[in-house]
Amino acid sequence: MYCFMDWVQNWIYTTNHKRIGILYILFGVINGIIAIFLSMLMRMELAFPGNQILFGEYQFYNMITTVHGVLMLFVVVLPILFGGFGNYFVPLLIGAPDMSFPRLNNFSFWISPVAVLLAVFSTLSEGGPGTGWTIYPPLSTNKAHSGASVDFLIFSFHLAGISSILASLNFICTVFYYKNESFFNKDIPLFVWGIITTSFMLILALPVLAAAITLLLFDRNFNTSFFDPVGGGDIVLFQHLFWFFGHPEVYILILPGFGLISHVISTFSKKRVFGYVPMIAAMLMIGLIGFIVWAHHMYTSGIDTSTKAYFTAATMVIAIPTGIKVFNWLATMWGGSIWMYTPMYFACGFIILFTMGGVTGIVLSNAGVDMSLHDTYYVVAHFHYVLSMGAVFAIYSGFYYWWGKMTGYHYSETLGQTHFWLTFIGVNLTFFPMHFLGASGMPRRIPDYPDMYQKWNTLISLGAFLSLFSLCFFFYTFYKSLVDQVKCSRNPWVFFHYDQLLDQSLRTISFVENVIHNHRYENVYFNNNNFLKKSYLVYGVTTNRYNLSPECVRTSTLEWTLTSPPFLHTFIVPPKVITTSNHFFNYRWNVLVNDMIVDKYKPLFISKIFTKRHNASVIYFAVNST
């Protein structure tokens, strides 16, 4: 009983941002398993023409497509990238002790399972919602769905939106009020910028969705006619309101992935991100322009030609900041010392596949072309390349990159790279042939099709089963990591060649000897004979816990210095290092003295040296930190 109560206290009532982040990740993974199971039902039905497994129950097929889309867009990608990695790592990246509103953080998470529960209830009411995830009227009105299924789905959207808005407010307050004093805004890590931009977009977009579905709820239950032309309503108004949220939602899902990929590419190229400030500006421009291109989803709804011309041009403009990010990632890798580990494989795969999705997006931005392709599988291929292969590859990269940080154990590199190739081949077999189906005119959201489309559909279904196998392999990889329990160093992603290691050691010896000699610290213990061996250990194996390359000094973070995994509450676990003045002294001094001077002398040693430099605050070193 006591063990159960301890578990409840530690996980149900927790206000620890790390534990809440883990809960978000587990929540997203469970929902992802359900959504992938539904997609496999679709692919089994579509593997061959005619009835396969649904036996003519086409309303059930429509329900599957609806719930698959709703889960993937609202409670899979967003909880993992935004809620999970965001909660766990934003405070670490900015040096904050926790989120600014820890109890609100807990509350915003526990709303989400209730939202999913309501979505499950909707599937049990009169055949479930067969509206598609866009819930367009008149398909979502009483004439087509007279039961409570759509009402449950609307309430589910409301709760998921409340959860996201509360989390967004928490992130914004945390970043701007809790960040390390040494960070100017331009020095905030790119993943944190992705979370900030996403938070503002959610706060601006979700109320519009809430308005649209509330009006729909009134039409269904209170005899209003907001979207009913018979009563003077406008059926296209719902599309405008929905897509004013729906298009920014795409960037809401992908922007945290942009920031995460920037971290991975910088780490494994051993270079600071090329064009750091332009990368921040590109994120902000993507967030801004994302709100003014919504009607490119509505070219077939009857909008006039001038409006189509504007939205075609605006949609092409959004490719500019996206292209800046892609080319800056490539420029970061260019000339870098690239180390190809599993996170880097997924980051490179992300760039390739997301670029492919972006190119097809430019094709669809043209109103004349989209009139032919809009309701075909070409659109399905496009948004799955952006999300199923863009956002999901970013999630995989983040799992492998931060797995050791979150658990303290390392994964098998062989299994990780095997998982990458299985996934890369599987998803391309699944979604690339959809371009051919769409160009041939195969409509989407249909459970049956003419025999002429059978060849590609069979190949797509085979690719889907390979993708499912790769997902099972992913779970096995991390299960084996938890079973084998290979200990992970504080930062496993530091790579030195032998000559770099020796040069770093010799320069470190010279530096520390010079500091001790000039400042006459007689009580500081230092042994030259043991120093070289220790420097090999510190810089070669356990880690250089900070990136010492000069170009990284200005953008250093506390990501790999604070304690993990979350066995204790964040406020109890002391930070390894908190610096408040990176701009006024060489960051390397901090690192070297922290590694080379005996613990009990660190506070005295550091405070006397660095407070002599103007505008430099005292640095606190936690003596007993783990």
Side-chain angles (χ1 to χ4, degrees), residues 40-53 61 442 447-449 451 453-462 465:
M40 295 308 300
L41 292 180
M42 285 189 280
R43 289 320 315 172
M44 291 168 68
E45 176 63 29
L46 293 170
F48 301 98
N51 295 326
Q52 304 302 318
I53 63 170
Y61 180 88
M442 179 176 171
D448 197 6
Y449 54 86
D451 292 350
Y453 300 126
Q454 185 260 324
K455 176 179 65 174
W456 289 123
N457 272 293
T458 302
L459 179 62
I460 290 170
S461 294
L462 290 175
F465 281 105

Side-chain angles (χ1 to χ4, degrees), residues 434-510:
M434 290 183 183
H435 294 99
F436 306 140
L437 290 175
S440 301
M442 179 176 171
R444 51 181 171 156
R445 295 177 178 169
I446 59 170
D448 197 6
Y449 54 86
D451 292 350
M452 63 180 287
Y453 300 126
Q454 185 260 324
K455 176 179 65 174
W456 289 123
N457 272 293
T458 302
L459 179 62
I460 290 170
S461 294
L462 290 175
F465 281 105
L466 180 58
S467 300
L468 177 64
F469 175 74
S470 73
L471 180 70
C472 297
F473 198 86
F474 167 73
F475 290 131
Y476 171 73
T477 299
F478 289 116
Y479 166 78
K480 195 168 190 323
S481 169
L482 295 174
V483 170
D484 293 346
Q485 295 190 353
V486 177
K487 296 289 179 155
C488 184
S489 59
R490 185 178 289 275
N491 179 3
W493 308 123
V494 177
F495 314 103
F496 279 94
H497 292 297
Y498 178 81
D499 54 344
Q500 293 175 301
L501 186 63
L502 184 59
D503 178 66
Q504 182 70 55
S505 301
L506 295 175
R507 285 190 287 111
T508 302
I509 293 173
S510 174

Side-chain angles (χ1 to χ4, degrees), residues 260-276:
L260 199 159
I261 291 298
S262 300
H263 283 236
V264 172
I265 289 176
S266 175
T267 298
F268 290 92
S269 299
K270 290 191 62 183
K271 283 177 62 181
R272 183 170 181 257
V273 174
F274 180 87
Y276 201 90

Side-chain angles (χ1 to χ4, degrees), residues 101-118:
F101 304 112
R103 294 185 185 278
L104 185 68
N105 198 18
N106 177 277
F107 177 68
S108 66
F109 168 74
W110 286 110
I111 295 176
S112 300
V114 180
V116 173
L117 196 61
L118 285 175

Side-chain angles (χ1 to χ4, degrees), residues 581-610:
S581 192
N582 283 356
H583 297 284
F584 300 101
F585 59 83
N586 189 330
Y587 193 67
R588 187 177 299 164
W589 291 17
N590 166 352
V591 177
L592 299 179
V593 177
N594 183 42
D595 280 336
M596 303 309 161
I597 307 301
V598 173
D599 281 345
K600 68 178 180 178
Y601 295 106
K602 285 177 186 174
L604 174 66
F605 184 80
I606 295 300
S607 62
K608 286 189 176 181
I609 291 179
F610 292 121

Side-chain angles (χ1 to χ4, degrees), residues 358-534:
V359 169
T360 55
I362 295 297
V363 173
L364 292 169
S365 71
N366 188 300
V369 176
D370 186 73
M371 291 291 288
S372 298
L373 296 177
H374 182 77
D375 282 317
T376 70
Y377 262 81
Y378 193 93
V379 176
V380 179
H382 158 67
F383 68 70
H384 278 89
Y385 261 84
V386 173
L387 292 180
S388 180
M389 302 158 78
V392 172
F393 266 56
I395 289 172
Y396 281 144
S397 183
F399 265 113
Y400 285 103
Y401 182 58
W402 280 324
W403 179 254
K405 183 69 175 172
M406 291 190 289
T407 65
Y409 305 123
H410 213 294
Y411 63 90
S412 167
E413 190 63 37
T414 301
L415 294 179
Q417 294 187 24
T418 304
H419 168 236
F420 166 77
W421 287 111
L422 288 172
T423 305
F424 189 82
I425 295 170
V427 294
N428 277 286
L429 282 177
T430 303
F431 297 112
F432 192 78
M434 290 183 183
H435 294 99
F436 306 140
L437 290 175
S440 301
M442 179 176 171
R444 51 181 171 156
R445 295 177 178 169
I446 59 170
D448 197 6
Y449 54 86
D451 292 350
M452 63 180 287
Y453 300 126
Q454 185 260 324
K455 176 179 65 174
W456 289 123
N457 272 293
T458 302
L459 179 62
I460 290 170
S461 294
L462 290 175
F465 281 105
L466 180 58
S467 300
L468 177 64
F469 175 74
S470 73
L471 180 70
C472 297
F473 198 86
F474 167 73
F475 290 131
Y476 171 73
T477 299
F478 289 116
Y479 166 78
K480 195 168 190 323
S481 169
L482 295 174
V483 170
D484 293 346
Q485 295 190 353
V486 177
K487 296 289 179 155
C488 184
S489 59
R490 185 178 289 275
N491 179 3
W493 308 123
V494 177
F495 314 103
F496 279 94
H497 292 297
Y498 178 81
D499 54 344
Q500 293 175 301
L501 186 63
L502 184 59
D503 178 66
Q504 182 70 55
S505 301
L506 295 175
R507 285 190 287 111
T508 302
I509 293 173
S510 174
F511 167 78
V512 177
E513 285 181 327
N514 184 52
V515 169
I516 294 175
H517 176 73
N518 291 340
H519 292 271
R520 296 192 179 92
Y521 287 97
E522 299 175 357
N523 293 328
V524 175
Y525 174 78
F526 184 72
N527 188 330
N528 274 341
N529 296 329
N530 295 332
F531 180 79
L532 192 58
K533 180 191 295 186
K534 182 175 182 180

Side-chain angles (χ1 to χ4, degrees), residues 136 234-237 239-240 243 295-309 311 367 370-371 374-375:
Y136 281 174
D234 184 358
I235 199 169
V236 180
L237 173 62
Q239 294 189 35
H240 281 288
W243 285 115
H296 66 214
H297 297 271
M298 300 170 53
Y299 289 144
T300 58
S301 66
I303 57 178
D304 61 83
T305 304
S306 299
T307 306
K308 289 179 182 177
F311 282 103
D370 186 73
M371 291 291 288
H374 182 77
D375 282 317

